Amino acid sequence: MPNPTKISLVNPHRFPFFYGYIVLVIGSIGILASIPGQTIGVSVFTDPVKDALGLSRNEFSNAYMLGTLLSSALVARAGIWFDAYGARYVAFFATLLLGASLLLFSVSVEISETIKRVFNFQSWSVPFLLITLLFFLIRFSGQGVLTMASRNMIMMWFRKNRGKINSISSITVSLGFSSAPILLNRLIDDHGWAMSWQIMAMSLFVFCVCILLLYRNRPEDFDLLPDGGEKKELDQEKEATETDFTLKEAKKTRAFWMFGLVLAFNSFYVTGFTFHIVSIFGSQNYSKAEAIAIFLPMSIIAIFVSTLCNILSDYIQHKIYLFIMLSAGVLASLGLLLLSHPIGVYLLVGGLGTMGGLFAVINAVTWPSFFGRKFLGSISGKVMSFLVVGSAIAPSLFSYCFTTLGSYRYMGYVTLAFLLFLIIGSFKVKNPQLKTEDI
């Protein structure tokens, strides 16, 4: 790994208080900075951009799916980069790439028209292939690398208090993501979609400087320990209760696959449902306003569950969370099947809200708690590839179910069957850190 103190104006060892709290703040901002590469950040630009490029909704959606799938192939490799080079360098180059990609996106119409003119080739495939490439870049750098590096860095600086710290970060991130569509829509109304992307790109370039100044990978690099304290004073405690697993070793455990697959299921179901929410509710004679209205109670439930479970995660077995999340998935699937009745709406709100809250806990706290911190990047990067694939294929599968079978409710049967497989497979899950105990 490169020298962590090189080109470093801020030395955590000399800070007047534990530097982990600075990491918490700047890392949470880093996750928020990934919004332009997240589905919630892209969706606001869908209509104006597809119209400007002359693409249909299906063509635009397919470009998004292909770009996202391509990014999943490299996300796992980015986790290895994290282990080799640390959060500081990985997050810096990811943010730089995300900002540059947004600048290219802002002039995508000009690029497309230039290519058509130079090659005398007037076809929809030109803008389609162009934005497929751009979607790959922003999904890889934003949703994949920047999010992973920022979240992992926070977890590196805490061990006993991981849950409590993650609860603070999760609330901040949840509020930021919830308000993002409103803020981005206002930005587009005031400045147009192209200028909005340019403004966000400039903001990301400024944040690159903040990353170089404040991102730090491990407290041990500065003779500190997670949660505070000096390494030289607590040397005998170092790694005493934590075993570091490589990705190859982690993949041999049942816990890696069950937790990873339940997170992938959450990514799949939430993305597919959100992408088609107006159509899903409309097929059961609900209005658009009634469909959108479920996000508020879902967010409230998610924040409550996330806060409570993050705090408790420092004291209770994570296997409990696995089964709660699986149960919430069952409720959400039943809600889709029973959406024609009022009970279906309540099941969806409760199930999706609970899954969303637990997702923030499991995806951040479980991996370092189960497999140690040394190879956290490669392990979480592999899991991130599962999530990216799930989010990529979900909109198309939901759409295919509706156009072919005439109803979205059949997706409920598919998800219930998959959840049954996960429930059966999860009974023998154990925490790899505890050789003989269930998690």
Side-chain angles (χ1 to χ4, degrees):
M1 182 185 297
N3 185 350
T5 61
K6 188 177 181 180
I7 319 178
S8 178
L9 298 178
V10 178
N11 189 333
H13 185 73
R14 299 174 182 172
F15 231 66
F17 55 87
F18 180 51
Y19 193 78
Y21 300 116
I22 299 295
V23 168
L24 168 63
V25 174
I26 195 66
S28 298
I29 295 174
I31 298 174
L32 292 175
S34 73
I35 285 176
Q38 304 280 358
T39 302
I40 200 167
V42 174
S43 61
V44 184
F45 290 85
T46 296
D47 288 323
V49 176
K50 75 176 180 60
D51 293 340
L53 289 168
L55 294 173
S56 69
R57 185 173 296 276
N58 283 340
E59 290 166 348
F60 192 84
S61 299
N62 288 336
Y64 182 75
M65 178 184 70
L66 289 175
T68 303
L69 283 174
L70 288 172
S71 73
S72 70
L74 275 183
V75 167
R77 171 63 58 178
I80 297 175
W81 297 338
F82 178 91
D83 292 334
Y85 302 107
R88 186 186 188 196
Y89 295 103
V90 170
F92 172 79
F93 286 108
T95 306
L96 194 64
L97 177 60
L98 180 57
S101 302
L102 293 181
L103 285 181
L104 290 174
F105 239 130
S106 71
V107 293
S108 55
V109 174
E110 290 80 0
I111 296 174
S112 175
E113 292 303 317
T114 299
I115 294 174
K116 288 180 181 179
R117 185 172 60 253
V118 170
F119 293 96
N120 192 27
F121 186 65
Q122 301 296 318
S123 172
W124 64 271
S125 61
V126 173
F128 176 83
L129 292 175
L130 174 63
I131 65 167
T132 296
L133 172 61
L134 292 175
F135 274 139
F136 159 72
L137 292 176
I138 67 170
R139 296 291 279 167
F140 171 69
S141 58
Q143 183 204 25
V145 184
L146 180 55
T147 304
M148 177 200 65
S150 300
R151 181 182 291 118
N152 285 351
M153 178 183 65
I154 297 173
M155 295 299 100
M156 285 283 197
W157 281 80
F158 298 91
R159 182 182 296 150
K160 296 178 181 178
N161 298 314
R162 276 180 188 141
K164 301 182 187 70
I165 292 300
N166 192 51
S167 68
I168 299 172
S169 178
S170 297
I171 293 174
T172 304
V173 171
S174 294
L175 293 175
F177 272 64
S178 298
S179 60
I182 299 174
L183 297 176
L184 291 178
N185 190 60
R186 179 65 181 272
L187 192 64
I188 294 172
D189 289 342
D190 291 344
H191 302 285
W193 63 268
M195 180 61 73
S196 296
W197 263 329
Q198 292 169 10
I199 292 173
M200 286 191 288
M202 292 302 108
S203 300
L204 287 169
F205 294 148
V206 172
F207 186 64
C208 282
V209 178
C210 298
I211 290 174
L212 286 178
L213 289 174
L214 300 175
Y215 268 51
R216 296 295 181 270
N217 192 49
R218 290 164 53 91
E220 289 88 346
D221 294 334
F222 302 91
D223 290 326
L224 299 173
L225 284 179
D227 302 300
E230 293 192 2
K231 188 177 179 181
K232 61 183 180 181
E233 296 175 356
L234 301 173
D235 190 58
Q236 70 279 7
E237 188 178 315
K238 177 187 173 185
E239 311 296 341
T241 60
E242 185 175 87
T243 302
D244 292 311
F245 287 73
T246 64
L247 174 60
K248 184 177 180 180
E249 291 169 339
K251 288 165 65 176
K252 293 179 180 179
T253 68
R254 187 183 293 255
F256 174 84
W257 292 104
M258 292 300 102
F259 276 94
L261 289 176
V262 78
L263 292 176
F265 170 79
N266 177 84
S267 182
F268 171 86
Y269 194 94
V270 171
T271 302
F273 178 81
T274 303
F275 201 89
H276 297 287
I277 185 170
V278 175
S279 177
I280 290 173
F281 274 75
S283 67
Q284 300 298 333
N285 299 318
Y286 291 95
S287 67
K288 179 180 179 180
E290 290 173 321
I292 301 300
I294 73 167
F295 283 112
L296 178 59
M298 276 173 50
S299 298
I300 294 173
I301 293 174
I303 291 174
F304 173 78
V305 171
S306 175
T307 303
L308 178 64
C309 292
N310 265 307
I311 295 173
L312 293 178
S313 68
D314 293 327
Y315 308 103
I316 68 175
Q317 300 173 350
H318 282 219
K319 187 173 183 177
I320 296 173
Y321 289 165
L322 176 60
F323 278 100
I324 293 176
M325 194 166 184
L326 289 169
S327 300
V330 171
L331 292 180
S333 299
L334 290 175
L336 190 59
L337 290 173
L338 302 173
L339 190 56
S340 58
H341 306 284
I343 186 64
V345 178
Y346 293 109
L347 290 173
L348 276 171
V349 169
L352 289 172
T354 303
M355 278 203 302
L358 280 171
F359 176 87
V361 183
I362 293 175
N363 198 33
V365 179
T366 297
W367 307 121
S369 299
F370 276 32
F371 303 110
R373 296 178 301 137
K374 187 174 182 179
F375 303 102
L376 179 59
S378 58
I379 292 172
S380 61
K382 185 65 176 180
V383 174
M384 180 64 75
S385 70
F386 299 165
L387 309 188
V388 174
V389 170
S391 67
I393 65 177
S396 295
L397 288 182
F398 271 72
S399 179
Y400 180 80
C401 179
F402 181 66
T403 56
T404 304
L405 302 177
S407 175
Y408 290 102
R409 69 191 307 267
Y410 295 104
M411 281 304 302
Y413 294 115
V414 175
T415 55
L416 281 174
F418 184 69
L419 287 168
L420 178 60
F421 161 74
L422 291 183
I423 290 171
I424 295 174
S426 296
F427 280 112
K428 292 186 178 181
V429 166
K430 296 180 180 181
N431 184 344
Q433 297 289 337
L434 307 175
K435 304 303 182 183
T436 59
E437 299 178 33
D438 283 350
I439 57 173

